[in-house]
C-alpha cells in the first residue's frame, strides 16, 4: 500500500512539473507580430527594421515582421482588419478604429516659411500666392487645407506645387513659390536647411508663419496637436525664430490591434523606450521615441499593455494566472485524494480476500485430517496452491499488509503440514479391502 501511494505521489509531482514546464515554455516563447508600414516612409521603415533585428538577437518575447503597404491609410486599415498586428501610422491621415498606441515614434511640426520682403506674414496672406509643399502627399496637402480653412481661405485661391527638399532653395530664389510648407521633426537638419534657404532668398530674416489657432484646429481634428516652436529652434544669428510661436504638429505612432496580448505590448513598449538609443545608433530619429499619454478619453489612447508598463502596473505570470494555478493545485489535490481512496478501496478488498483465504485454510485443516484418500488430499492441495498464487500476485502488484500476509503464511504452512501427515497416515493404513464376491463353484 505504501509503495503504491509513493508511486502515485511521484506521478502527480511529475505531472505537475511537466505542466509547469510546458506553461513556462508557452509563456516565454517568442511571438511573431506583423507590422504594416508605408512604402514611402523610409525613416520609419529603417527604424522598425533596426528594432526587429535587435529584438531577434535579444532575449525578448516579441519578434517583428515588416510588411510594406501603399501608405499610412493602408497601414491603419491593415491593423483594423487584423491583417497586421501592428502598424506605423500618421495621425492626421487615418486614425485606426480598433488599435491603440504602443509608442510615439516621433512628433513632426508644420514649418510654413516665406522669404523676407514678401507679402506673406500670416496664413490668411496665402490667398493668391503659390505654396511649395515638400514631399507633397495626402497628409501634407490636407494639413495646409485645414490651416487655410481655419482662416477662411478658399483652397482654389492658393496654388500648390510639390517640391523635393533639394528643390526648395532654387524655387524660393527664382520666386516660383512664395512660401514653403514642410512637415518634419522640429530638430531636423532638413527644416533648418529650408529656413536657411528662405533667408538666402530674401533681404533679411525669413518669415516663420505661425498657425496661431493650432489649438482650435486640434480640438476639431484629433489627428493634429498644437506645438510651440521655441526661440532659436532653427539656429542663426539673430535666432530663428526671434520669439516663440505656435504651429500644428502630427505624430507618427506605432499602434497595435486591441486584441494583441497585453503582456506582449508591455514587453514591446519596454523595448522601444529603454533601447531607443541603441536603435538611434543606426537611425537617429529613434531619439524622438516617447511614451504615449495614458489619460483616458483620448482619440488614440495608449494600449492597455503600454499603459501597464508606463504606469508601472505590469502583472507577472503568477499575478495574471495565480487563480488558475491555485485552482489547478486544488484539482491535483482532489485527483490525488481520489486516487488514494480508490487504491485504499482496492487494497481493502484485497485485505478482505486475504482474510477470507485464512478462514478457508483453517476450515481445510479439519477437511485434511478427515480426508479418506490421496485423491481427496490432491484436490485440497490444488485449492491451497491456487490461494497461494492469488496471495503472491496481490502482494507483488500493490504491496500488502505484512501482518496479514504472515498470518496467511502460517495458516498455509499448517495446512501443508496437515496434508503431509494425512498422506503418511493413509499410506500406513494400506489399501482398503473391498467386499468379497462368491465364486460360481460355491
Amino acid at each position: 500500500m505504501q509503495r503504491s501511494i509513493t508511486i502515485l505521489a511521484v506521478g502527480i509531482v511529475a505531472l505537475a512539473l511537466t505542466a509547469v514546464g510546458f506553461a513556462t515554455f508557452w509563456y516565454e516563447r517568442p511571438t511573431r507580430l506583423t507590422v504594416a508600414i508605408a512604402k514611402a516612409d523610409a525613416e520609419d521603415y529603417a527604424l522598425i527594421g533596426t528594432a526587429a533585428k535587435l529584438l531577434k538577437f535579444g532575449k525578448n518575447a516579441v519578434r517583428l515582421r515588416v510588411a510594406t503597404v501603399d501608405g499610412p491609410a493602408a497601414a491603419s486599415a491593415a491593423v483594423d482588419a487584423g491583417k497586421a498586428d501592428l502598424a506605423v501610422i500618421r495621425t492626421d491621415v487615418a486614425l485606426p478604429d480598433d488599435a491603440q498606441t504602443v509608442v510615439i515614434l516621433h512628433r513632426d511640426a508644420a514649418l510654413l516659411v516665406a522669404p523676407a520682403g514678401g507679402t506673406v506674414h500670416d496664413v490668411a496672406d496665402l490667398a493668391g500666392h503659390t505654396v511649395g509643399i515638400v514631399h507633397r502627399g495626402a497628409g501634407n496637402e490636407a494639413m495646409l487645407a485645414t490651416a487655410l480653412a481655419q482662416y477662411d481661405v478658399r483652397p482654389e485661391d492658393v496654388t500648390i506645387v510639390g517640391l523635393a527638399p533639394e528643390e526648395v532653395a532654387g524655387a524660393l530664389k527664382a520666386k516660383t513659390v512664395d512660401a514653403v510648407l514642410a512637415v518634419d521633426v522640429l530638430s531636423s537638419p532638413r527644416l533648418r536647411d529650408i529656413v536657411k534657404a528662405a533667408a538666402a532668398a530674401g533681404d533679411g530674416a525669413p518669415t516663420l508663419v505661425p498657425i496661431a489657432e493650432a489649438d482650435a484646429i486640434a480640438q476639431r481634428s484629433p489627428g493634429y496637436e498644437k506645438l510651440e516652436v521655441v526661440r532659436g529652434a532653427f539656429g542663426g544669428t539673430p535666432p530663428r525664430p526671434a520669439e516663440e510661436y505656435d504651429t500644428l504638429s502630427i505624430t507618427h505612432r506605432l499602434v497595435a490591434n486591441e486584441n494583441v496580448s497585453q503582456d506582449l505590448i508591455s514587453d514591446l513598449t519596454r523595448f522601444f523606450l529603454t533601447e531607443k538609443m541603441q536603435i538611434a545608433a543606426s537611425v537617429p530619429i529613434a531619439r524622438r521615441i516617447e511614451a504615449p499619454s495614458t489619460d483616458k478619453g483620448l482619440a488614440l489612447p495608449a494600449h492597455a499593455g503600454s499603459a501597464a508598463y508606463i504606469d508601472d502596473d505590469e502583472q507577472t505570470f503568477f499575478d495574471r494566472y495565480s487563480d488558475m494555478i491555485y485552482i489547478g493545485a486544488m484539482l491535483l489535490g482532489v485527483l490525488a485524494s481520489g486516487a488514494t481512496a480508490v487504491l485504499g478501496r482496492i487494497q481493502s478488498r484485497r485485505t478482505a480476500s486475504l482474510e477470507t483465504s485464512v478462514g478457508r485454510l483453517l476450515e481445510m485443516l479439519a477437511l485434511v485430517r478427515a480426508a479418506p484418500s490421496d485423491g481427496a488430499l490432491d484436490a485440497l492441495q490444488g485449492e491451497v496452491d491456487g490461494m497461494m498464487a492469488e496471495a503472491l500476485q496481490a502482494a507483488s502488484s500493490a504491496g500488502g499488509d505484512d501482518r496479514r500476509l504472515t498470518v496467511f503464511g502460517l495458516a498455509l504452512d499448517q495446512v501443508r503440514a496437515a496434508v503431509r501427515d494425512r498422506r503418511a497416515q493413509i499410506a500406513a493404513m494400506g489399501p482398503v479391502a473391498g467386499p468379497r464376491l462368491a465364486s460360481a463353484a460355491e
Side-chain angles (χ1 to χ4, degrees):
M1 178 65 176
Q2 186 63 35
R3 186 175 69 178
S4 299
I5 294 176
T6 301
I7 293 172
L8 176 65
V10 170
I12 291 174
V13 170
L15 179 63
L17 290 176
T18 301
V20 170
F22 180 77
T24 302
F25 169 77
W26 183 264
Y27 182 75
E28 296 291 340
R29 81 195 193 289
T31 301
R32 187 177 297 276
L33 300 177
T34 300
V35 189
I37 304 178
K39 292 177 183 178
D41 200 345
E43 280 191 315
D44 288 342
Y45 185 89
L47 190 158
I48 297 299
T50 301
K53 290 178 182 177
L54 293 175
L55 284 166
K56 182 178 179 181
F57 296 108
K59 294 181 179 179
N60 298 285
V62 181
R63 299 288 185 270
L64 296 180
R65 185 181 73 84
V66 178
T68 55
V69 293
D70 290 337
S76 181
V79 76
D80 271 342
K83 295 179 180 179
D85 306 293
L86 306 161
V88 174
I89 67 157
R90 176 173 158 161
T91 52
D92 63 329
V93 174
L95 291 176
D97 296 324
D98 298 318
Q100 291 93 37
T101 304
V102 178
V103 289
I104 296 173
L105 298 178
H106 50 94
R107 193 178 298 273
D108 293 356
L111 169 68
L112 187 57
V113 61
T119 58
V120 176
H121 302 281
D122 192 271
V123 175
D125 296 335
L126 292 175
H129 291 82
T130 300
V131 178
I133 299 180
V134 180
H135 295 307
R136 180 180 182 179
N140 290 351
E141 193 167 341
M143 179 181 282
L144 178 60
T146 300
L148 293 174
Q150 175 67 30
Y151 292 88
D152 294 330
V153 177
R154 297 183 305 171
E156 58 268 26
D157 290 340
V158 178
T159 302
I160 296 173
V161 297
L163 294 175
E166 61 273 14
E167 296 173 335
V168 172
L172 288 171
K173 194 169 186 178
K175 300 187 182 303
T176 56
V177 297
D178 302 302
V180 172
L181 173 68
V183 181
D184 208 332
V185 175
L186 191 60
S187 59
S188 166
R190 292 181 292 267
L191 291 190
R192 182 174 293 194
D193 288 344
I194 291 172
V195 173
K196 287 181 179 178
D203 298 327
T207 301
L208 297 170
V209 180
I211 304 178
E213 307 304 324
D215 212 358
I217 294 172
Q219 288 185 12
R220 289 197 307 272
S221 304
Y224 299 109
E225 298 177 17
K226 181 186 80 170
L227 181 69
E228 185 179 86
V229 181
V230 298
R231 182 175 185 266
F234 305 113
T237 304
R240 305 164 183 155
E243 296 179 357
E244 298 177 351
Y245 72 93
D246 292 339
T247 189
L248 285 176
S249 71
I250 54 95
T251 54
H252 287 241
R253 301 184 180 218
L254 179 65
V255 299
N257 188 285
E258 60 186 0
N259 295 323
V260 178
S261 164
Q262 179 175 327
D263 291 337
L264 293 177
I265 298 304
S266 289
D267 288 340
L268 199 59
T269 305
R270 179 189 298 106
F271 168 78
F272 274 103
L273 294 179
T274 59
E275 303 297 331
K276 66 180 183 179
M277 297 310 294
Q278 191 172 358
I279 302 171
S282 300
V283 188
I285 200 173
R287 294 189 181 92
R288 302 300 170 186
I289 293 174
E290 61 182 274
S293 171
T294 58
D295 291 344
K296 299 183 184 300
L298 299 176
L300 193 58
H303 192 282
S306 296
Y309 172 73
I310 294 165
D311 294 338
D312 198 20
D313 192 29
E314 291 179 281
Q315 290 184 320
T316 66
F317 175 83
F318 289 101
D319 290 335
R320 184 172 294 279
Y321 300 105
S322 59
D323 291 343
M324 294 178 63
I325 293 171
Y326 177 72
I327 293 171
M330 289 182 60
L331 289 175
L332 283 175
V334 170
L335 289 174
S337 299
T340 302
V342 170
L343 282 177
R345 174 166 292 187
I346 292 172
Q347 187 63 32
S348 66
R349 289 178 180 175
R350 287 173 175 166
T351 299
S353 176
L354 199 59
E355 292 176 349
T356 301
S357 296
V358 171
R360 175 59 180 162
L361 288 172
L362 295 177
E363 292 175 359
M364 291 174 70
L365 282 173
L367 296 174
V368 168
R369 293 189 181 107
S373 64
D374 285 337
L377 289 174
D378 289 341
L380 292 170
Q381 183 66 52
E383 185 178 350
V384 169
D385 292 342
M387 293 167 64
M388 180 185 68
E390 290 179 1
L392 289 175
Q393 183 179 6
S396 64
S397 63
D401 189 323
D402 292 341
R403 183 176 59 83
R404 288 184 173 83
L405 284 173
T406 300
V407 171
F408 176 80
L410 289 174
L412 189 65
D413 290 342
Q414 290 297 317
V415 173
R416 284 175 169 172
V419 169
R420 287 195 300 271
D421 292 344
R422 184 56 181 162
R423 286 190 190 279
Q425 291 174 3
I426 292 174
M429 290 169 58
V432 179
R436 189 172 67 84
L437 297 176
S439 67
E442 295 179 343

